[in-house]
Every structure is written in structure tokens, then in C-alpha cells.
Amino acid sequence: SESHCPDRFGSEEATLVLDGEFAWSKRLQGLVMGSYYWGYAACQIPMAWLAATIGFRKAFGFSMLFASLLTLLFPLAAKTSVYLALVARILVGIFHAVAFPAMTGSVGGLGTTTGKRPNLMVSMSLVRALVPLSFSPLLVT
């Protein structure tokens, strides 16, 4: 009996998975899937600063445009090289990192002119908390 889990540390990482279109190992599949979150998590604060600097609408618009273009080009990048797929996913994560700070900043700016800022922010946070929680029983079962 071995002291480690064979699924995690065995020879599975070296084998190619031929179930789909790409002959990528489980490790490479995990890297491609996780690379989006590397870019997203690493760039939350810099993208919030960028959105505040150049304007929330411009930052959101340009970031969604570039993320959409990269998403359209992703199949070509994946067919060319797994490394291009990694770079494309990281860049999509970076461009998506501006979305939440830009939306929050633009809503905050609206509230100051209408005088309804506290009500709007409370309702936005309630929607963010309650909508996903209302679907969680469906996901568990």
C-alpha cells in the first residue's frame, strides 16, 4: 500500500486524454481552466484603479470588447498551442476583472446625483446576496 493517492500523484498526469478534440493531459486541462482566475484575481485592484482613472463606462466597454474578441479567437488559439490558450484565458480574466469595479463605480456615481445612493447600494447588495442563495438548494440536490 502506498502513502499517497495514486490519482493525484500517479502516472495519470503524463497520460493524454483523448476524449475530446485536444490531446491534453489532466494537468494541462486544469491549467487552462484555472488560468482565467489567475488573471481575474491578480488584476481586481489594478483594474479598479484603471476604471476610476479613465472612467467607468470606457473601462467597462473596452474591457468587454477585448474579452469578447479574445473569446471568439480562443478556439483558434487552443488549436494552435496550449500555451496560446493559457495566455488567452489569462487575458480574458484580466479584462473581466474590470467588470465588477466598473459597475460598482458607475452605480455609485449615479446615486450622488439622484440622492438615492443608500437605497440603490443596499438593494444591489441584497440582489447579489439573495439571488445566488435562492438557487443553491437546486444545485445541492
Side-chain angles (χ1 to χ4, degrees):
S1 133
E2 297 177 1
S3 63
H4 62 272
C5 178
D7 289 337
R8 182 163 181 191
F9 298 106
S11 63
E12 181 185 13
E13 289 185 33
T15 61
L16 297 178
V17 178
L18 299 174
D19 289 341
E21 185 177 349
F22 303 105
W24 294 345
S25 67
K26 291 277 189 186
R27 183 174 180 272
L28 281 177
Q29 290 177 17
L31 286 173
V32 171
M33 294 300 291
S35 61
Y36 171 86
Y37 298 102
W38 300 339
Y40 185 82
C43 291
Q44 282 282 303
I45 294 174
M47 288 299 169
W49 173 82
L50 181 70
T53 303
I54 68 170
F56 298 112
R57 281 190 193 174
K58 285 182 188 176
F60 185 76
F62 284 123
S63 69
M64 292 302 111
L65 173 69
F66 291 132
S68 299
L69 292 175
L70 280 169
T71 301
L72 288 173
L73 294 174
F74 180 76
L76 180 65
K79 288 177 183 176
T80 304
S81 167
V82 68
Y83 300 109
L84 279 176
L86 282 169
V87 169
R89 293 279 294 172
I90 290 170
L91 288 173
V92 170
I94 289 170
F95 287 125
H96 280 173
V98 77
F100 187 72
M103 287 186 286
T104 305
S106 64
V107 168
L110 288 175
T112 57
T113 58
T114 62
K116 298 179 182 179
R117 184 177 182 174
N119 294 336
L120 189 60
M121 296 309 276
V122 167
S123 63
M124 185 175 166
S125 58
L126 282 174
V127 167
R128 278 189 53 219
L130 295 179
V131 169
L133 287 176
S134 64
F135 290 108
S136 61
L138 298 173
L139 297 174
V140 172
T141 57

PDB file of all heavy atoms in Angstrom, residues 90-124:
ATOM      1  N   ILE A  90      -5.853  33.854 -19.583  1.00  0.00           N
ATOM      2  CA  ILE A  90      -5.372  34.827 -18.599  1.00  0.00           C
ATOM      3  C   ILE A  90      -5.817  36.228 -18.995  1.00  0.00           C
ATOM      4  O   ILE A  90      -6.290  37.011 -18.160  1.00  0.00           O
ATOM      5  CB  ILE A  90      -3.833  34.751 -18.455  1.00  0.00           C
ATOM      6  CG1 ILE A  90      -3.436  33.440 -17.771  1.00  0.00           C
ATOM      7  CG2 ILE A  90      -3.297  35.941 -17.663  1.00  0.00           C
ATOM      8  CD1 ILE A  90      -1.947  33.148 -17.803  1.00  0.00           C
ATOM      9  N   LEU A  91      -5.695  36.563 -20.278  1.00  0.00           N
ATOM     10  CA  LEU A  91      -6.110  37.893 -20.742  1.00  0.00           C
ATOM     11  C   LEU A  91      -7.609  38.109 -20.598  1.00  0.00           C
ATOM     12  O   LEU A  91      -8.050  39.208 -20.233  1.00  0.00           O
ATOM     13  CB  LEU A  91      -5.670  38.100 -22.189  1.00  0.00           C
ATOM     14  CG  LEU A  91      -4.172  38.308 -22.398  1.00  0.00           C
ATOM     15  CD1 LEU A  91      -3.841  38.340 -23.891  1.00  0.00           C
ATOM     16  CD2 LEU A  91      -3.699  39.571 -21.718  1.00  0.00           C
ATOM     17  N   VAL A  92      -8.412  37.099 -20.860  1.00  0.00           N
ATOM     18  CA  VAL A  92      -9.865  37.225 -20.661  1.00  0.00           C
ATOM     19  C   VAL A  92     -10.159  37.482 -19.190  1.00  0.00           C
ATOM     20  O   VAL A  92     -10.995  38.323 -18.847  1.00  0.00           O
ATOM     21  CB  VAL A  92     -10.614  35.984 -21.186  1.00  0.00           C
ATOM     22  CG1 VAL A  92     -12.067  36.002 -20.764  1.00  0.00           C
ATOM     23  CG2 VAL A  92     -10.519  35.909 -22.693  1.00  0.00           C
ATOM     24  N   GLY A  93      -9.462  36.797 -18.308  1.00  0.00           N
ATOM     25  CA  GLY A  93      -9.630  37.039 -16.876  1.00  0.00           C
ATOM     26  C   GLY A  93      -9.244  38.453 -16.486  1.00  0.00           C
ATOM     27  O   GLY A  93      -9.922  39.097 -15.676  1.00  0.00           O
ATOM     28  N   ILE A  94      -8.166  38.952 -17.067  1.00  0.00           N
ATOM     29  CA  ILE A  94      -7.744  40.334 -16.782  1.00  0.00           C
ATOM     30  C   ILE A  94      -8.799  41.324 -17.257  1.00  0.00           C
ATOM     31  O   ILE A  94      -9.153  42.261 -16.544  1.00  0.00           O
ATOM     32  CB  ILE A  94      -6.372  40.615 -17.438  1.00  0.00           C
ATOM     33  CG1 ILE A  94      -5.275  39.837 -16.704  1.00  0.00           C
ATOM     34  CG2 ILE A  94      -6.060  42.107 -17.445  1.00  0.00           C
ATOM     35  CD1 ILE A  94      -3.929  39.857 -17.408  1.00  0.00           C
ATOM     36  N   PHE A  95      -9.322  41.120 -18.464  1.00  0.00           N
ATOM     37  CA  PHE A  95     -10.334  42.045 -18.977  1.00  0.00           C
ATOM     38  C   PHE A  95     -11.645  41.937 -18.203  1.00  0.00           C
ATOM     39  O   PHE A  95     -12.349  42.931 -18.034  1.00  0.00           O
ATOM     40  CB  PHE A  95     -10.560  41.828 -20.471  1.00  0.00           C
ATOM     41  CG  PHE A  95      -9.433  42.333 -21.324  1.00  0.00           C
ATOM     42  CD1 PHE A  95      -8.801  41.493 -22.223  1.00  0.00           C
ATOM     43  CD2 PHE A  95      -8.986  43.634 -21.225  1.00  0.00           C
ATOM     44  CE1 PHE A  95      -7.759  41.947 -23.014  1.00  0.00           C
ATOM     45  CE2 PHE A  95      -7.943  44.107 -22.002  1.00  0.00           C
ATOM     46  CZ  PHE A  95      -7.328  43.255 -22.901  1.00  0.00           C
ATOM     47  N   HIS A  96     -11.982  40.759 -17.718  1.00  0.00           N
ATOM     48  CA  HIS A  96     -13.200  40.619 -16.909  1.00  0.00           C
ATOM     49  C   HIS A  96     -13.031  41.183 -15.508  1.00  0.00           C
ATOM     50  O   HIS A  96     -14.022  41.462 -14.831  1.00  0.00           O
ATOM     51  CB  HIS A  96     -13.619  39.158 -16.834  1.00  0.00           C
ATOM     52  CG  HIS A  96     -14.356  38.700 -18.041  1.00  0.00           C
ATOM     53  ND1 HIS A  96     -14.691  37.384 -18.233  1.00  0.00           N
ATOM     54  CD2 HIS A  96     -14.828  39.358 -19.125  1.00  0.00           C
ATOM     55  CE1 HIS A  96     -15.330  37.263 -19.383  1.00  0.00           C
ATOM     56  NE2 HIS A  96     -15.419  38.449 -19.942  1.00  0.00           N
ATOM     57  N   ALA A  97     -11.786  41.349 -15.062  1.00  0.00           N
ATOM     58  CA  ALA A  97     -11.541  41.868 -13.720  1.00  0.00           C
ATOM     59  C   ALA A  97     -12.016  43.310 -13.563  1.00  0.00           C
ATOM     60  O   ALA A  97     -12.251  43.760 -12.449  1.00  0.00           O
ATOM     61  CB  ALA A  97     -10.058  41.770 -13.377  1.00  0.00           C
ATOM     62  N   VAL A  98     -12.191  44.018 -14.642  1.00  0.00           N
ATOM     63  CA  VAL A  98     -12.639  45.402 -14.561  1.00  0.00           C
ATOM     64  C   VAL A  98     -14.157  45.498 -14.433  1.00  0.00           C
ATOM     65  O   VAL A  98     -14.681  46.535 -14.034  1.00  0.00           O
ATOM     66  CB  VAL A  98     -12.131  46.220 -15.777  1.00  0.00           C
ATOM     67  CG1 VAL A  98     -12.940  45.929 -17.014  1.00  0.00           C
ATOM     68  CG2 VAL A  98     -12.130  47.704 -15.474  1.00  0.00           C
ATOM     69  N   ALA A  99     -14.871  44.424 -14.712  1.00  0.00           N
ATOM     70  CA  ALA A  99     -16.334  44.494 -14.776  1.00  0.00           C
ATOM     71  C   ALA A  99     -16.966  44.897 -13.450  1.00  0.00           C
ATOM     72  O   ALA A  99     -17.742  45.860 -13.392  1.00  0.00           O
ATOM     73  CB  ALA A  99     -16.905  43.157 -15.249  1.00  0.00           C
ATOM     74  N   PHE A 100     -16.677  44.174 -12.381  1.00  0.00           N
ATOM     75  CA  PHE A 100     -17.345  44.488 -11.119  1.00  0.00           C
ATOM     76  C   PHE A 100     -16.939  45.857 -10.566  1.00  0.00           C
ATOM     77  O   PHE A 100     -17.817  46.626 -10.160  1.00  0.00           O
ATOM     78  CB  PHE A 100     -17.109  43.385 -10.087  1.00  0.00           C
ATOM     79  CG  PHE A 100     -17.912  43.596  -8.847  1.00  0.00           C
ATOM     80  CD1 PHE A 100     -19.278  43.393  -8.868  1.00  0.00           C
ATOM     81  CD2 PHE A 100     -17.318  44.030  -7.685  1.00  0.00           C
ATOM     82  CE1 PHE A 100     -20.043  43.605  -7.736  1.00  0.00           C
ATOM     83  CE2 PHE A 100     -18.062  44.241  -6.554  1.00  0.00           C
ATOM     84  CZ  PHE A 100     -19.439  44.024  -6.573  1.00  0.00           C
ATOM     85  N   PRO A 101     -15.651  46.221 -10.548  1.00  0.00           N
ATOM     86  CA  PRO A 101     -15.323  47.576 -10.083  1.00  0.00           C
ATOM     87  C   PRO A 101     -15.960  48.676 -10.937  1.00  0.00           C
ATOM     88  O   PRO A 101     -16.405  49.694 -10.414  1.00  0.00           O
ATOM     89  CB  PRO A 101     -13.800  47.637 -10.173  1.00  0.00           C
ATOM     90  CG  PRO A 101     -13.354  46.238 -10.141  1.00  0.00           C
ATOM     91  CD  PRO A 101     -14.438  45.435 -10.774  1.00  0.00           C
ATOM     92  N   ALA A 102     -16.033  48.459 -12.243  1.00  0.00           N
ATOM     93  CA  ALA A 102     -16.627  49.476 -13.116  1.00  0.00           C
ATOM     94  C   ALA A 102     -18.125  49.604 -12.875  1.00  0.00           C
ATOM     95  O   ALA A 102     -18.666  50.712 -12.830  1.00  0.00           O
ATOM     96  CB  ALA A 102     -16.354  49.145 -14.579  1.00  0.00           C
ATOM     97  N   MET A 103     -18.807  48.475 -12.710  1.00  0.00           N
ATOM     98  CA  MET A 103     -20.253  48.544 -12.461  1.00  0.00           C
ATOM     99  C   MET A 103     -20.546  49.171 -11.095  1.00  0.00           C
ATOM    100  O   MET A 103     -21.450  49.981 -10.959  1.00  0.00           O
ATOM    101  CB  MET A 103     -20.862  47.146 -12.539  1.00  0.00           C
ATOM    102  CG  MET A 103     -20.948  46.616 -13.949  1.00  0.00           C
ATOM    103  SD  MET A 103     -21.823  45.062 -14.071  1.00  0.00           S
ATOM    104  CE  MET A 103     -20.642  43.929 -13.400  1.00  0.00           C
ATOM    105  N   THR A 104     -19.768  48.797 -10.089  1.00  0.00           N
ATOM    106  CA  THR A 104     -19.966  49.363  -8.758  1.00  0.00           C
ATOM    107  C   THR A 104     -19.690  50.860  -8.767  1.00  0.00           C
ATOM    108  O   THR A 104     -20.435  51.640  -8.182  1.00  0.00           O
ATOM    109  CB  THR A 104     -19.059  48.658  -7.742  1.00  0.00           C
ATOM    110  OG1 THR A 104     -19.296  47.259  -7.814  1.00  0.00           O
ATOM    111  CG2 THR A 104     -19.323  49.143  -6.347  1.00  0.00           C
ATOM    112  N   GLY A 105     -18.618  51.251  -9.436  1.00  0.00           N
ATOM    113  CA  GLY A 105     -18.290  52.670  -9.503  1.00  0.00           C
ATOM    114  C   GLY A 105     -19.308  53.477 -10.269  1.00  0.00           C
ATOM    115  O   GLY A 105     -19.642  54.600  -9.885  1.00  0.00           O
ATOM    116  N   SER A 106     -19.845  52.930 -11.342  1.00  0.00           N
ATOM    117  CA  SER A 106     -20.832  53.677 -12.114  1.00  0.00           C
ATOM    118  C   SER A 106     -22.148  53.796 -11.363  1.00  0.00           C
ATOM    119  O   SER A 106     -22.810  54.836 -11.415  1.00  0.00           O
ATOM    120  CB  SER A 106     -21.052  53.031 -13.485  1.00  0.00           C
ATOM    121  OG  SER A 106     -21.594  51.747 -13.338  1.00  0.00           O
ATOM    122  N   VAL A 107     -22.543  52.773 -10.632  1.00  0.00           N
ATOM    123  CA  VAL A 107     -23.766  52.853  -9.831  1.00  0.00           C
ATOM    124  C   VAL A 107     -23.573  53.841  -8.687  1.00  0.00           C
ATOM    125  O   VAL A 107     -24.476  54.620  -8.369  1.00  0.00           O
ATOM    126  CB  VAL A 107     -24.170  51.454  -9.301  1.00  0.00           C
ATOM    127  CG1 VAL A 107     -25.249  51.549  -8.248  1.00  0.00           C
ATOM    128  CG2 VAL A 107     -24.636  50.593 -10.452  1.00  0.00           C
ATOM    129  N   GLY A 108     -22.394  53.843  -8.088  1.00  0.00           N
ATOM    130  CA  GLY A 108     -22.111  54.802  -7.022  1.00  0.00           C
ATOM    131  C   GLY A 108     -22.149  56.234  -7.519  1.00  0.00           C
ATOM    132  O   GLY A 108     -22.596  57.138  -6.821  1.00  0.00           O
ATOM    133  N   GLY A 109     -21.707  56.443  -8.742  1.00  0.00           N
ATOM    134  CA  GLY A 109     -21.759  57.783  -9.323  1.00  0.00           C
ATOM    135  C   GLY A 109     -23.172  58.230  -9.620  1.00  0.00           C
ATOM    136  O   GLY A 109     -23.497  59.410  -9.527  1.00  0.00           O
ATOM    137  N   LEU A 110     -24.043  57.310  -9.978  1.00  0.00           N
ATOM    138  CA  LEU A 110     -25.438  57.667 -10.238  1.00  0.00           C
ATOM    139  C   LEU A 110     -26.152  58.108  -8.976  1.00  0.00           C
ATOM    140  O   LEU A 110     -26.979  59.004  -8.996  1.00  0.00           O
ATOM    141  CB  LEU A 110     -26.188  56.466 -10.841  1.00  0.00           C
ATOM    142  CG  LEU A 110     -25.860  56.081 -12.259  1.00  0.00           C
ATOM    143  CD1 LEU A 110     -26.603  54.810 -12.629  1.00  0.00           C
ATOM    144  CD2 LEU A 110     -26.221  57.193 -13.211  1.00  0.00           C
ATOM    145  N   GLY A 111     -25.826  57.454  -7.876  1.00  0.00           N
ATOM    146  CA  GLY A 111     -26.513  57.746  -6.632  1.00  0.00           C
ATOM    147  C   GLY A 111     -26.258  59.137  -6.107  1.00  0.00           C
ATOM    148  O   GLY A 111     -27.106  59.711  -5.425  1.00  0.00           O
ATOM    149  N   THR A 112     -25.112  59.713  -6.403  1.00  0.00           N
ATOM    150  CA  THR A 112     -24.802  61.034  -5.870  1.00  0.00           C
ATOM    151  C   THR A 112     -25.630  62.125  -6.546  1.00  0.00           C
ATOM    152  O   THR A 112     -25.915  63.137  -5.933  1.00  0.00           O
ATOM    153  CB  THR A 112     -23.306  61.346  -6.039  1.00  0.00           C
ATOM    154  OG1 THR A 112     -22.976  61.248  -7.425  1.00  0.00           O
ATOM    155  CG2 THR A 112     -22.473  60.394  -5.229  1.00  0.00           C
ATOM    156  N   THR A 113     -26.040  61.927  -7.784  1.00  0.00           N
ATOM    157  CA  THR A 113     -26.814  62.969  -8.456  1.00  0.00           C
ATOM    158  C   THR A 113     -28.309  62.842  -8.168  1.00  0.00           C
ATOM    159  O   THR A 113     -29.020  63.841  -8.182  1.00  0.00           O
ATOM    160  CB  THR A 113     -26.603  62.906  -9.989  1.00  0.00           C
ATOM    161  OG1 THR A 113     -26.988  61.627 -10.461  1.00  0.00           O
ATOM    162  CG2 THR A 113     -25.163  63.178 -10.329  1.00  0.00           C
ATOM    163  N   THR A 114     -28.783  61.634  -7.902  1.00  0.00           N
ATOM    164  CA  THR A 114     -30.213  61.463  -7.679  1.00  0.00           C
ATOM    165  C   THR A 114     -30.592  61.499  -6.206  1.00  0.00           C
ATOM    166  O   THR A 114     -31.762  61.624  -5.880  1.00  0.00           O
ATOM    167  CB  THR A 114     -30.692  60.113  -8.264  1.00  0.00           C
ATOM    168  OG1 THR A 114     -30.013  59.058  -7.599  1.00  0.00           O
ATOM    169  CG2 THR A 114     -30.455  60.049  -9.751  1.00  0.00           C
ATOM    170  N   GLY A 115     -29.623  61.363  -5.327  1.00  0.00           N
ATOM    171  CA  GLY A 115     -29.916  61.371  -3.904  1.00  0.00           C
ATOM    172  C   GLY A 115     -30.430  60.041  -3.387  1.00  0.00           C
ATOM    173  O   GLY A 115     -30.865  59.940  -2.255  1.00  0.00           O
ATOM    174  N   LYS A 116     -30.378  58.997  -4.189  1.00  0.00           N
ATOM    175  CA  LYS A 116     -30.887  57.687  -3.785  1.00  0.00           C
ATOM    176  C   LYS A 116     -29.757  56.680  -3.606  1.00  0.00           C
ATOM    177  O   LYS A 116     -29.959  55.493  -3.711  1.00  0.00           O
ATOM    178  CB  LYS A 116     -31.864  57.161  -4.831  1.00  0.00           C
ATOM    179  CG  LYS A 116     -33.083  58.021  -5.004  1.00  0.00           C
ATOM    180  CD  LYS A 116     -33.985  57.449  -6.053  1.00  0.00           C
ATOM    181  CE  LYS A 116     -35.183  58.366  -6.251  1.00  0.00           C
ATOM    182  NZ  LYS A 116     -36.073  57.872  -7.271  1.00  0.00           N
ATOM    183  N   ARG A 117     -28.596  57.166  -3.309  1.00  0.00           N
ATOM    184  CA  ARG A 117     -27.430  56.296  -3.213  1.00  0.00           C
ATOM    185  C   ARG A 117     -27.569  55.193  -2.164  1.00  0.00           C
ATOM    186  O   ARG A 117     -27.301  54.043  -2.475  1.00  0.00           O
ATOM    187  CB  ARG A 117     -26.188  57.134  -2.964  1.00  0.00           C
ATOM    188  CG  ARG A 117     -24.936  56.318  -2.942  1.00  0.00           C
ATOM    189  CD  ARG A 117     -23.751  57.203  -2.774  1.00  0.00           C
ATOM    190  NE  ARG A 117     -22.544  56.400  -2.804  1.00  0.00           N
ATOM    191  CZ  ARG A 117     -21.356  56.886  -2.797  1.00  0.00           C
ATOM    192  NH1 ARG A 117     -21.178  58.184  -2.760  1.00  0.00           N
ATOM    193  NH2 ARG A 117     -20.313  56.115  -2.816  1.00  0.00           N
ATOM    194  N   PRO A 118     -27.962  55.477  -0.934  1.00  0.00           N
ATOM    195  CA  PRO A 118     -28.036  54.388   0.048  1.00  0.00           C
ATOM    196  C   PRO A 118     -29.040  53.309  -0.354  1.00  0.00           C
ATOM    197  O   PRO A 118     -28.750  52.123  -0.217  1.00  0.00           O
ATOM    198  CB  PRO A 118     -28.460  55.079   1.338  1.00  0.00           C
ATOM    199  CG  PRO A 118     -28.074  56.502   1.163  1.00  0.00           C
ATOM    200  CD  PRO A 118     -28.196  56.770  -0.312  1.00  0.00           C
ATOM    201  N   ASN A 119     -30.218  53.711  -0.848  1.00  0.00           N
ATOM    202  CA  ASN A 119     -31.216  52.718  -1.238  1.00  0.00           C
ATOM    203  C   ASN A 119     -30.725  51.854  -2.390  1.00  0.00           C
ATOM    204  O   ASN A 119     -30.944  50.654  -2.417  1.00  0.00           O
ATOM    205  CB  ASN A 119     -32.526  53.401  -1.642  1.00  0.00           C
ATOM    206  CG  ASN A 119     -33.176  54.089  -0.474  1.00  0.00           C
ATOM    207  OD1 ASN A 119     -32.935  53.719   0.669  1.00  0.00           O
ATOM    208  ND2 ASN A 119     -33.978  55.094  -0.758  1.00  0.00           N
ATOM    209  N   LEU A 120     -30.069  52.471  -3.353  1.00  0.00           N
ATOM    210  CA  LEU A 120     -29.571  51.741  -4.506  1.00  0.00           C
ATOM    211  C   LEU A 120     -28.474  50.760  -4.119  1.00  0.00           C
ATOM    212  O   LEU A 120     -28.463  49.607  -4.562  1.00  0.00           O
ATOM    213  CB  LEU A 120     -29.061  52.729  -5.558  1.00  0.00           C
ATOM    214  CG  LEU A 120     -28.695  52.184  -6.907  1.00  0.00           C
ATOM    215  CD1 LEU A 120     -29.903  51.511  -7.544  1.00  0.00           C
ATOM    216  CD2 LEU A 120     -28.201  53.303  -7.796  1.00  0.00           C
ATOM    217  N   MET A 121     -27.557  51.185  -3.255  1.00  0.00           N
ATOM    218  CA  MET A 121     -26.459  50.310  -2.848  1.00  0.00           C
ATOM    219  C   MET A 121     -26.962  49.150  -1.997  1.00  0.00           C
ATOM    220  O   MET A 121     -26.492  48.028  -2.131  1.00  0.00           O
ATOM    221  CB  MET A 121     -25.390  51.112  -2.101  1.00  0.00           C
ATOM    222  CG  MET A 121     -24.717  52.165  -2.971  1.00  0.00           C
ATOM    223  SD  MET A 121     -24.109  51.506  -4.525  1.00  0.00           S
ATOM    224  CE  MET A 121     -22.557  50.881  -4.006  1.00  0.00           C
ATOM    225  N   VAL A 122     -27.924  49.400  -1.128  1.00  0.00           N
ATOM    226  CA  VAL A 122     -28.479  48.327  -0.301  1.00  0.00           C
ATOM    227  C   VAL A 122     -29.210  47.325  -1.184  1.00  0.00           C
ATOM    228  O   VAL A 122     -29.043  46.109  -1.026  1.00  0.00           O
ATOM    229  CB  VAL A 122     -29.407  48.895   0.798  1.00  0.00           C
ATOM    230  CG1 VAL A 122     -30.218  47.801   1.447  1.00  0.00           C
ATOM    231  CG2 VAL A 122     -28.590  49.650   1.826  1.00  0.00           C
ATOM    232  N   SER A 123     -30.008  47.816  -2.122  1.00  0.00           N
ATOM    233  CA  SER A 123     -30.733  46.887  -2.989  1.00  0.00           C
ATOM    234  C   SER A 123     -29.781  46.100  -3.875  1.00  0.00           C
ATOM    235  O   SER A 123     -30.000  44.914  -4.127  1.00  0.00           O
ATOM    236  CB  SER A 123     -31.760  47.635  -3.841  1.00  0.00           C
ATOM    237  OG  SER A 123     -31.108  48.538  -4.705  1.00  0.00           O
ATOM    238  N   MET A 124     -28.693  46.705  -4.320  1.00  0.00           N
ATOM    239  CA  MET A 124     -27.715  45.988  -5.147  1.00  0.00           C
ATOM    240  C   MET A 124     -27.034  44.884  -4.338  1.00  0.00           C
ATOM    241  O   MET A 124     -26.850  43.775  -4.823  1.00  0.00           O
ATOM    242  CB  MET A 124     -26.670  46.963  -5.679  1.00  0.00           C
ATOM    243  CG  MET A 124     -25.691  46.355  -6.628  1.00  0.00           C
ATOM    244  SD  MET A 124     -24.639  47.648  -7.278  1.00  0.00           S
ATOM    245  CE  MET A 124     -23.351  46.674  -7.996  1.00  0.00           C
TER     246      MET A 124
END
